[in-house]
Amino acid sequence: MTGGTRAADVLHASIEDSRQSRLRRLGRTVSALALAAMGGAGEDFLPSFDLVVRRRDDGAEVLRTRAGEADQAERLLATVERDLDQKDVTAFVSEWRVIDR
């Protein structure tokens, strides 16, 4: 970190359900179960998650990106949390292309 404000002091990352309608999520889950029951791989239909970065002061969303399935999402979250802890706000925003609102 160069000397600016640590990104983790300003921003917070979390994993959230992806923005899909309940009907679409239900359809993906049923498809995954049906494929698994027939011996196929239903990974493409498993629920997916988004990585969301919000401002700590007002909770405004500054970044939302698809994070994939649960294991992929956890790995991405760990990477982002490490960057938030190790980088200043300017570097984090530059590297992750955060939306300035």
Side-chain angles (χ1 to χ4, degrees):
M1 192 166 70
T2 57
T5 302
R6 186 174 72 110
D9 293 337
V10 177
L11 303 169
H12 171 73
S14 63
I15 297 297
E16 297 180 7
D17 287 334
S18 64
R19 290 183 174 168
Q20 295 178 354
S21 70
R22 289 182 185 174
L23 183 59
R24 184 171 175 96
R25 270 187 287 195
L26 177 63
R28 289 176 60 88
T29 302
V30 169
S31 297
L33 293 173
L35 281 172
M38 293 184 288
E43 292 88 11
D44 291 341
F45 296 100
L46 291 175
S48 62
F49 299 92
D50 289 346
L51 170 81
V52 181
V53 177
R54 297 182 186 278
R55 292 178 53 99
R56 288 189 181 275
D57 60 354
D58 63 5
E61 185 177 298
V62 296
L63 173 69
R64 179 178 287 265
T65 189
R66 292 198 60 190
E69 298 170 17
D71 59 335
Q72 296 166 322
E74 289 300 322
R75 286 193 303 271
L76 181 59
L77 178 61
T79 300
V80 169
E81 287 178 333
R82 183 179 59 244
D83 282 357
L84 286 169
D85 187 52
Q86 295 176 353
K87 297 180 186 304
D88 63 28
V89 175
T90 303
F92 182 85
V93 167
S94 174
E95 289 182 24
W96 287 94
R97 303 184 201 285
V98 171
I99 300 167
D100 187 19
R101 295 184 180 179

